[in-house]
Amino acid sequence: MFLHTLAHLGGRIFASLAGFIITMLITAKLGAAAMGVFGIYMVLQNFIAVLDGGMALTINRAMAIGAGDTSPDADHLRLFRTYEWINLGIGAVFTVVAAIVLPQIIHHWSSQTTIENIHTIGLLFGAALGVKFMQMLYQNTLFGAHRHLDANAVISLFAITRILLIGGMLIYGTDLCMVFALFFGLNTLELFGFIIACNRQGIWHLRTRPDFSLIKKYASFMAPVSAYTIVALLIAQVDRIVVGHFISLEQFGAYSLVAGYAAGVAALSYAPANVFYPTMTQAIHHADHTAAALAVRRVLNFILFLTFPAALWVVFYGMDLSHLLFKDTAVGAMTAPLWPPLFLACAISVLSVIPYKIFLAHQMPKLILKVNAIALIFYIALLVGSLMILKYPAGLMILPPLATIPLSLYLFYLARIGETEQHFVQQILLRSTATAAALSVFYMLAHTISAYAPRPLWQNLFALGWPPAVAALAYGSYIWHWRAREDSNL
């Protein structure tokens, strides 16, 4: 788990870094309206998983159970080729629809905004997203087969390429049309990179034939996965959908920017979670409770280490970050009040990953659907009400309490499975609460000592950088000693 988590972490860091640099450069070089269009791209990039219909998670689980069998006639490999053809058709349809709809959305949202070549941008926009959608199947196939290093090598390589090509072009001058042309080209090459990685590992063969009858065999798992995926993605993106009705395109660009940073920190939890799921699936499949308990303890430590020091640091230092990152005072003013609610919600929501993966390993997707449906109803109603009463951005303070709704429901149902799962719940609550309390006290004291002030850049970077560095080092040292002690006991 440790080595595979590091591989995932490397891929996530490079991907998040690419998104951070490109969004910053688009805002600085192309303006807030272009950032708004790119914000729509980022929302849809997350939302297209709705179209997957549960294929990615189903193949992930099938690969985990069938690991080691590389026969071209194996069920899980034939299922993979079947999903591949379905995936191709859905991606093509989505490309056409997105290309037609995007110009209409932009015109309807802000008729005052003038963006050149909007129809060409729409075509490239849709094509880039369609190819990105098709990548999910290959990623999850490699993850389920425990080929984490291969998958993340492809992700890291193309994230670095995006930084160099797209970032370089933005620095030296380009337009939004060329940005999306490059996204389409690089996404296509990345897709072929995943196919080559699957082929090298013996899980993609030309002689393997698709078998559409297998869809019926896996439908009992796939159908509720598809349903809860739709609801879960609505929960993940509903804040932008709702907030977009209360603000301008430029404000939405600023909101998307900060929300994207929060999503980047939350995405760090996917690194250990993607390793944890097939590990937990195999442990439950073989009724190995000791391995399951060890996996939960370690994934919890990884998630807290990767997300809490960063997320809680931003909660206390958000205003300082706005001063440091944005020279444009208008953008700084729009982003300053967004950091605390978005990142505090991030710190809470990442804890839901553990019970969610356990339910999947237990083949309980219907329970996940139930929890997400309840959470979505409360989320929409309370967020709309808060924005109507308190207005934007004050109404966003409802986001952290909203993040506790799915987490509380997940932990409640997890504790009802058995005594082992009750122990999991206790660990999640106690360890996360203690870590959050310690970090909050430390950041509060550190901020009073060295807050942002008009002084040389390097001094401000040091003032902002040393608290999370010390916090991560202290918690990382604790985890390392704990892991060594536990290994010696085993």
Side-chain angles (χ1 to χ4, degrees):
M1 280 188 66
F2 182 71
L3 292 177
H4 288 165
T5 296
L6 289 181
H8 274 282
L9 183 58
R12 289 290 174 184
I13 287 175
F14 283 119
S16 298
L17 186 62
F20 175 83
I21 291 174
I22 291 170
T23 51
M24 286 290 294
L25 288 173
I26 287 177
T27 304
K29 300 292 183 179
L30 302 182
M35 181 58 228
V37 176
F38 191 69
I40 297 172
Y41 176 84
M42 299 301 288
V43 170
L44 290 179
Q45 182 173 279
N46 295 321
F47 201 69
I48 53 176
V50 168
L51 304 175
D52 174 78
M55 288 186 290
L57 275 174
T58 303
I59 198 64
N60 190 316
R61 188 174 188 280
M63 285 286 173
I65 294 175
D69 187 353
T70 56
S71 167
D73 297 323
D75 271 9
H76 61 290
L77 298 186
R78 287 187 292 122
L79 180 68
F80 176 29
R81 293 305 306 277
T82 304
Y83 284 161
E84 195 175 26
W85 284 98
I86 298 172
N87 218 34
L88 178 62
I90 296 173
V93 171
F94 179 79
T95 297
V96 175
V97 172
I100 295 171
V101 172
L102 178 68
Q104 299 178 22
I105 292 175
I106 299 301
H107 179 73
H108 175 74
W109 196 343
S110 181
S111 58
Q112 305 295 324
T113 300
T114 56
I115 299 177
E116 297 180 357
N117 302 319
I118 188 63
H119 292 285
T120 304
I121 289 172
L123 179 61
L124 295 169
F125 177 101
L129 281 173
V131 175
K132 195 69 178 177
F133 163 75
M134 289 186 281
Q135 292 177 11
M136 292 189 301
L137 181 68
Y138 300 96
Q139 286 186 47
N140 279 275
T141 298
L142 289 166
F143 294 162
H146 288 284
R147 301 294 188 264
H148 304 278
L149 293 172
D150 299 270
N152 284 286
V154 176
I155 293 171
S156 300
L157 173 63
F158 282 93
I160 294 170
T161 306
R162 284 188 187 89
I163 294 173
L164 295 176
L165 288 182
I166 301 177
M169 290 193 68
L170 283 166
I171 291 173
Y172 290 104
T174 187
D175 57 14
L176 198 58
C177 185
M178 184 57 69
V179 168
F180 282 114
L182 281 172
F183 263 101
F184 168 61
L186 292 174
N187 286 355
T188 303
L189 291 175
E190 188 174 6
L191 175 65
F192 284 112
F194 283 121
I195 295 174
I196 292 170
C198 289
N199 177 256
R200 289 182 61 187
Q201 296 300 329
I203 54 180
W204 187 93
H205 305 279
L206 276 175
R207 61 183 181 273
T208 300
R209 295 289 179 262
D211 185 353
F212 289 90
S213 65
L214 289 172
I215 296 176
K216 182 177 180 181
K217 177 181 177 180
Y218 288 90
S220 61
F221 181 78
M222 185 175 169
V225 166
S226 177
Y228 85 65
T229 299
I230 295 173
V231 179
L233 284 167
L234 284 173
I235 293 174
Q237 301 299 321
V238 74
D239 62 318
R240 303 191 199 192
I241 297 171
V242 171
V243 168
H245 286 78
F246 290 84
I247 57 178
S248 67
L249 181 62
E250 289 72 17
Q251 287 176 312
F252 182 76
Y255 183 87
S256 296
L257 190 68
V258 179
Y261 297 159
V265 172
L268 295 176
S269 67
Y270 302 162
N274 284 334
V275 181
F276 171 71
Y277 173 53
T279 304
M280 177 60 74
T281 299
Q282 289 180 341
I284 290 175
H285 186 69
H286 296 291
D288 190 343
H289 300 292
T290 302
L294 183 60
V296 168
R297 289 198 296 273
R298 291 196 170 171
V299 76
L300 176 60
N301 279 334
F302 281 137
I303 287 175
L304 292 180
F305 170 70
L306 293 172
T307 59
F308 268 41
L312 294 175
W313 169 67
V314 176
V315 170
F316 287 91
Y317 284 80
M319 186 73 71
D320 307 303
L321 286 172
S322 287
H323 287 306
L324 185 66
L325 293 176
F326 306 112
K327 301 304 179 185
D328 187 327
T329 55
V331 175
M334 285 190 289
T335 57
L338 306 179
W339 303 96
L342 284 168
F343 276 83
L344 186 56
C346 163
I348 296 170
S349 63
V350 294
L351 298 173
S352 300
V353 171
I354 300 174
Y356 160 71
K357 294 292 186 180
I358 294 174
F359 289 139
L360 276 182
H362 273 290
Q363 295 192 69
M364 302 173 71
K366 292 181 180 178
L367 180 58
I368 299 174
L369 174 60
K370 177 181 177 181
V371 169
N372 286 347
I374 295 171
L376 180 62
I377 294 170
F378 280 101
Y379 205 109
I380 295 174
L382 293 175
L383 181 57
V384 170
S386 180
L387 289 171
M388 290 179 66
I389 296 171
L390 300 176
K391 306 302 180 185
Y392 178 89
L396 296 177
M397 292 308 297
I398 193 68
L399 291 177
L402 289 176
T404 65
I405 295 174
L407 175 61
S408 300
L409 291 171
Y410 274 138
L411 295 179
F412 172 74
Y413 286 112
L414 181 62
R416 296 180 65 180
I417 295 177
E419 291 185 8
T420 302
E421 287 73 17
Q422 290 176 10
H423 182 61
F424 295 164
V425 172
Q426 292 173 4
Q427 284 199 51
I428 293 170
L429 290 175
L430 293 175
R431 187 70 60 78
S432 61
T433 302
T435 304
L439 286 172
S440 297
V441 171
F442 172 67
Y443 286 144
M444 194 180 303
L445 294 173
H447 194 263
T448 59
I449 297 171
S450 58
Y452 179 91
R455 55 193 173 203
L457 177 61
W458 71 269
Q459 291 184 13
N460 278 319
L461 288 174
F462 177 77
L464 268 65
W466 75 264
V470 170
L473 183 63
Y475 192 60
S477 176
Y478 165 75
I479 290 178
W480 183 264
H481 289 296
W482 172 85
R483 178 172 173 262
R485 186 170 63 252
E486 187 177 61
D487 286 346
S488 65
N489 291 335
L490 289 174

